[in-house]
Amino acid sequence: MNRLRRLSRELHRHASYFFAGVVLIYAISGIALNHKGTFNSNYEVRRSTFVVSGALPERSGVDEAWVKSALLSPVGEEGAYTKHYFPQDNVVKVFLKGGSSVVADLSTGRAEYEALKRRPFFGAVSRLHYNPGRWWTLFSDIFAGALILVTITGFTMMKGRRGLIGWGGAELLAGLLFPLAFLLFF
C-alpha cells in the first residue's frame, strides 16, 4: 500500500505540474465565458455618437466619397471603409475593416460609431473552449484523462481519517452533490 501511495504522489505531482498552465488558461477563459452577457471576451466594444456636419444628401447622393468624408473622417476611419448599404430608407450603415461600423440617420444627421478592438489574451484563450481543431481536441481528451488521473491519485495519497475513508470521503461526497443539486433543482 505504501508503494501505491508513493507512486500516486509521483504521478499526481508530475501531472499536476505539467497541466497546471492548461488549468489556469481554462479557468480564466471559463470565467470570461460565464459572463458573456456582460463581458465580450473576444472584442472590446466602444460606442460614440456624433452629428454629421454639412448638408445631408438624399439616398441617391450617398457614395463612397461622401461616406468617407462625412461619416468616417470624424472618427478617423477613412482608410477602413469596406462597403455601405441602407437597412432603412433614411439610414445608412457603413462596414469597416475589423468589424467596426458607423450607422447614420440621414434625416437627422445623428450617427453612431461602434468600434471593435480585439482582446488579444481573452480572445485567444476563449477560443480554446470551442475546440479550434483536431489537434486541440486530441490534447483536450488527454488533458481530461490527466484530470481523472490527478483526481484518482489524490484519493490514495492520504490514509486514515484524513483520507478517502474519513474527511476526504466526506469532502468528495459534498463535491459530487453540489453540481448534482444544480442539475436537479436549478
Side-chain angles (χ1 to χ4, degrees):
M1 197 61 170
N2 283 337
R3 188 173 173 180
L4 176 64
R5 280 193 190 90
R6 192 171 25 255
L7 178 63
S8 290
R9 272 194 292 278
E10 289 294 316
L11 287 171
H12 188 87
R13 180 175 59 243
H14 292 299
S16 294
Y17 279 130
F18 184 80
F19 288 104
V22 181
V23 169
L24 289 172
I25 296 283
Y26 265 123
I28 291 167
S29 61
I31 291 169
L33 290 174
N34 281 343
H35 298 278
K36 274 179 26 176
T38 57
F39 177 76
N40 184 335
S41 61
N42 293 316
Y43 294 98
E44 175 185 346
V45 180
R46 286 181 292 118
R47 289 183 180 89
S48 59
T49 58
F50 63 97
V51 176
V52 179
S53 60
L56 297 172
E58 295 291 321
R59 180 178 174 155
S60 60
V62 175
D63 60 4
E64 183 179 335
W66 182 84
V67 167
K68 285 182 176 181
S69 67
L71 299 180
L72 302 184
S73 180
V75 293
E77 293 279 13
E78 305 95 299
Y81 174 86
T82 58
K83 66 180 182 176
H84 69 275
Y85 86 108
F86 291 87
Q88 298 169 4
D89 279 342
N90 287 329
V91 176
V92 62
K93 182 168 185 174
V94 183
F95 294 99
L96 306 173
K97 293 174 187 166
S100 298
S101 65
V102 174
V103 177
D105 185 333
L106 297 177
S107 59
T108 64
R110 182 172 154 73
E112 182 177 66
Y113 170 54
E114 181 178 82
L116 297 181
K117 183 180 173 194
R118 271 202 159 293
R119 293 183 194 272
F121 177 74
F122 281 115
V125 298
S126 294
R127 195 170 151 254
L128 297 176
H129 278 277
Y130 300 117
N131 282 349
R134 187 180 68 194
W135 290 107
W136 185 254
T137 300
L138 176 64
F139 178 78
S140 293
D141 291 343
I142 292 167
F143 174 59
L147 288 177
I148 292 168
L149 175 73
V150 166
T151 302
I152 291 172
T153 56
F155 292 159
T156 61
M157 287 173 36
M158 301 299 285
K159 60 182 176 180
R161 63 187 173 97
R162 291 186 293 170
L164 194 57
I165 297 171
W167 281 107
E171 291 169 343
L172 171 64
L173 183 61
L176 287 170
L177 291 176
F178 194 73
L180 288 175
F182 270 94
L183 287 174
L184 296 173
F185 301 112
F186 298 104

